[in-house]
Amino acid sequence: MAGQSRKWMILMASIWIQAFTGTNFDFSAYSSELKKVLSVSQMQLNYLATASDLGKAFGWSSGLALMYLPLWLVMFIAATMGLFGYGAQWLLIRRFIDLPYVLVFLLCLLAGCSITWFNTVCFVLCTQNFPTYRPLAISLSVSFNGVSAALYNLAAEAINPSSHTLYLILNAFVPLFVSFAVLIPILRQPVPDPLPSDVSGHDRFIFITLNLFAVITGLYLLLTPSHSNHAKLFFSGAIVLLILPLAIPGIAYARTWFKFTVYPKILVRGSSFLLDDDDHYDELIGGSHDAIRAASNDDNRSGNGVKGCLEMVIKSDRLVMLEEEHDAKRLLCRIDFWLYYFSYFCGGTIGLVYSNNLGQIAQSIGLESSTSTLITLYSSFSFFGRLLSAAPDILRTKLYLARTGWLAVALVPTSLAFLVLSLTETELALKIGTSLVGLSSGFIFSAAVSVTSDLFGPKNVGVNHNILITNIPFGSLIYGLLSALVYDSNAVLYSKSQVCMGRNCYFATFVLWGCISVLGLFSTVLLFIRTRHAYDRSERNRLSVES
């Protein structure tokens, strides 16, 4: 009975970790100050943003650490990296210390690496405690990473709204405090049960309830004014909304006690909410693996006579079935992986680079005072996008579409956003574009873990997903470099800093980013066409088992 309560406490701990460790999303809040103190160009500032993203390329190090260290220690190592990475930058901006540019680059890299380590801790917690509802647990947890910027913005407004450097000191210490807060639940994790106990309708109800709490939290943060005399009250309200779901573990414990004490003979049957029971899936695949491969070979043979490059690309080396394990070597030889890699490169990554440039974008059109509002908009809509990534699991009985199809739909708002931003420079257009980019990139960030598991196997998802997100530092460098070249070519020297004002600062960048996002959409549609048959087979097998 206590185990039922503890697993929900673990989910709450994962949610709190994610909610306060998305510290890279508030870079725009203090980037202008950092640029001024270092007296660097926009291109050099972009390299610092890239350094933070480059930390994700070292995500594999967290998996290596977990092989030798306990989970709680890995979490505190992540908090320590963030403490030094952001703390030293705060000292620099406050002019307590003087650091060379190269060392600041390394500090940004260290801070970015800490975020990846926190993410790995959350993935492990969700995977170990929710083997059946793994996609929903990860999706819900990762969703709260999107509200970090909004929470930090509220905290900064409540403490000192005139200080942009406050974000750095919050980034340094808040994740450490949260790590201490969640230490006890992590140390008291329930013993893994070989027979999954999270397959009841009761668990399904709890997940729906938690998603409703998440929607309420997102709406609250979205509708809360960025500048208000009651910022402390609003921030307290946000903390209360994060604490309220704590009642879930108590409800779970009471329900389990009632079930085994009052109704000992009643057995709760498994829920059909998700098809992620690894045991049932293995039994199903075990009997039909050869038949599926034979059918796939027939498909390939039937396409040999069809001429045309597109037809060959669609049918060549297609996935036979979902969740077939791929090691790193086999992964890099798959066409589907590179289509997926390019989709992420032109979708989620470009949205992250856009968020890093929000401060300079707002400043260029005279809306510097609206930067915090734009950060909150991006953060809130990124949160909603992450929540929507659970749609393939929740709606599969009423509206079925392969996850790769949902991924293609999620890329459409990004292309629309850059079209809007290219046509006009009004404040309304900037808010609409920021919201659309946040919604799209948030969905992609959250859904990518499940898509990687579907296409290349759940057992190696940690390694395979870290290979996938190597596109983030590459994209951050390339896209940021292109935007910086356009920005610096139109900038003038103002108060010892290169500043660009006017629409010409980002117009060409928006057009270029929009074209790149269209290429990403085309790549995702192609991936959907190639993988649709594998998803359809999996869905037919699921329906046949249930019937």
Side-chain angles (χ1 to χ4, degrees):
M1 290 188 293
Q4 285 293 305
S5 177
R6 288 178 187 175
K7 74 175 185 180
W8 295 110
M9 279 295 295
I10 290 296
L11 184 59
M12 292 302 101
S14 179
I15 286 174
W16 291 341
I17 292 172
Q18 290 286 347
F20 290 101
T21 57
T23 49
N24 57 325
F25 290 114
D26 60 18
F27 178 78
S28 297
Y30 57 86
S31 59
S32 296
E33 290 292 326
L34 192 61
K35 180 181 178 181
K36 186 184 301 182
V37 169
L38 291 172
S39 299
V40 296
S41 65
Q42 183 65 21
M43 187 176 298
Q44 290 172 304
L45 182 67
N46 170 71
Y47 291 147
L48 296 182
T50 301
S52 179
D53 297 331
L54 189 61
K56 296 177 175 61
F58 296 94
W60 56 269
S61 60
S62 58
L64 184 64
L66 282 170
M67 295 174 62
Y68 304 99
L69 302 174
L71 192 66
W72 66 269
L73 184 55
V74 172
M75 178 179 67
F76 276 103
I77 291 175
T80 303
M81 288 192 292
L83 178 65
F84 280 103
Y86 289 114
Q89 291 181 68
W90 178 79
L91 292 173
L92 172 68
I93 290 184
R94 293 301 301 269
R95 301 183 188 277
F96 290 124
I97 59 174
D98 189 19
L99 298 174
Y101 177 83
V102 174
L103 187 54
V104 177
F105 182 93
L106 294 176
L107 289 172
C108 291
L109 178 66
L110 185 65
C113 190
S114 74
I115 299 170
T116 306
W117 278 49
F118 275 122
N119 289 340
T120 301
V121 169
C122 292
F123 294 158
V124 171
L125 290 174
C126 292
T127 301
Q128 288 180 348
N129 293 276
F130 295 91
T132 301
Y133 286 144
R134 182 180 64 249
L136 275 183
I138 291 177
S139 174
L140 182 64
S141 172
V142 172
S143 297
F144 279 85
N145 194 252
V147 301
S148 293
L151 287 171
Y152 279 107
N153 185 53
L154 269 179
E157 288 290 326
I159 299 172
N160 186 359
S162 63
S163 174
H164 295 291
T165 61
L166 184 60
Y167 285 88
L168 282 168
I169 201 68
L170 291 173
N171 288 353
F173 283 99
V174 171
L176 181 61
F177 294 154
V178 172
S179 297
F180 279 108
V182 302
L183 180 59
I184 294 178
I186 291 177
L187 289 176
R188 299 191 65 200
Q189 287 189 68
V191 178
D193 191 347
L195 297 176
S197 59
D198 55 338
V199 292
S200 67
H202 173 70
D203 286 357
R204 172 180 180 242
F205 173 76
I206 290 180
F207 269 110
I208 293 175
T209 304
L210 288 174
N211 275 277
L212 288 176
F213 269 112
V215 171
I216 293 171
T217 303
L219 288 174
Y220 177 85
L221 292 171
L222 177 63
L223 299 177
T224 298
S226 298
H227 303 283
S228 172
N229 295 327
H230 305 289
K232 293 182 180 179
L233 180 63
F234 287 131
F235 179 66
S236 299
I239 297 301
V240 169
L241 285 174
L242 289 174
I243 293 176
L244 273 179
L246 262 179
I248 298 298
I251 294 173
Y253 183 87
R255 180 260 179 191
T256 308
W257 175 86
F258 190 76
K259 168 186 169 184
F260 285 99
T261 304
V262 182
Y263 296 108
K265 295 183 180 180
I266 296 179
L267 298 177
V268 179
R269 298 296 178 186
S271 170
S272 59
F273 189 55
L274 279 176
L275 180 64
D276 282 302
D277 190 328
D278 294 335
D279 294 334
H280 292 165
Y281 185 80
D282 290 339
E283 291 175 7
L284 177 64
I285 293 302
S288 58
H289 184 277
D290 294 336
I292 291 176
R293 283 201 175 276
S296 177
N297 290 336
D298 290 341
D299 289 344
N300 290 334
R301 283 196 296 270
S302 64
N304 287 338
V306 180
K307 296 181 180 180
C309 294
L310 185 60
E311 190 71 17
M312 292 178 63
V313 169
I314 291 175
K315 290 195 172 184
S316 174
D317 191 33
R318 289 196 299 183
L319 286 171
V320 176
M321 62 180 184
L322 297 184
E323 298 193 357
E324 186 176 2
E325 293 298 333
H326 290 65
D327 57 21
K329 182 178 179 180
R330 187 182 178 195
L331 179 80
L332 296 176
C333 295
R334 297 303 298 248
I335 296 176
D336 295 297
F337 170 75
W338 291 109
L339 287 173
Y340 183 32
Y341 191 93
F342 192 71
S343 301
Y344 199 113
F345 182 77
C346 298
T349 298
I350 208 169
L352 183 60
V353 176
Y354 174 82
S355 72
N356 289 338
N357 281 267
L358 266 178
Q360 280 67 49
I361 292 172
Q363 183 187 55
S364 68
I365 56 177
L367 297 173
E368 188 174 5
S369 60
S370 300
T371 300
S372 59
T373 302
L374 294 172
I375 292 173
T376 299
L377 273 176
Y378 181 89
S379 177
S380 299
F381 276 89
S382 174
F383 172 70
F384 289 124
R386 291 165 190 255
L387 279 182
L388 286 173
S389 67
D393 299 302
I394 296 176
L395 302 178
R396 68 187 308 164
T397 57
K398 298 183 181 296
L399 178 63
Y400 172 72
L401 182 65
R403 288 189 200 275
T404 47
W406 285 101
L407 208 61
V409 173
L411 272 171
V412 174
T414 297
S415 302
L416 293 177
F418 289 122
L419 176 63
V420 171
L421 292 169
S422 301
L423 293 176
T424 179
E425 61 177 2
T426 63
E427 183 176 2
L428 178 61
L430 186 57
K431 289 181 177 179
I432 292 174
T434 300
S435 302
L436 289 174
V437 173
L439 185 71
S440 180
S441 58
F443 187 102
I444 295 168
F445 291 147
S446 183
V449 180
S450 296
V451 173
T452 304
S453 177
D454 284 348
L455 300 184
F456 310 113
K459 293 181 180 178
N460 294 321
V461 67
V463 175
N464 292 342
H465 193 67
N466 279 319
I467 293 175
L468 170 72
I469 63 175
T470 55
N471 75 82
I472 292 179
F474 295 143
S476 180
L477 176 62
I478 295 171
Y479 300 145
L481 181 62
L482 292 174
S483 67
L485 287 172
V486 175
Y487 185 96
D488 285 340
S489 65
N490 294 282
V492 295
L493 186 63
Y494 175 77
S495 185
K496 297 183 179 181
S497 180
Q498 292 287 334
V499 178
C500 181
M501 300 296 294
R503 190 183 181 194
N504 56 334
C505 300
Y506 279 95
F507 172 74
T509 301
F510 290 150
V511 173
L512 184 60
W513 285 353
C515 293
I516 292 172
S517 67
V518 171
L519 290 177
L521 177 60
F522 175 77
S523 176
T524 313
V525 170
L526 196 58
L527 177 66
F528 166 64
I529 294 172
R530 285 176 53 87
T531 58
R532 181 176 55 182
H533 73 293
Y535 276 98
D536 288 345
R537 281 175 177 148
S538 175
E539 183 67 8
R540 286 196 300 269
N541 290 335
R542 183 185 71 86
L543 294 175
S544 65
V545 169
E546 290 182 356
S547 60

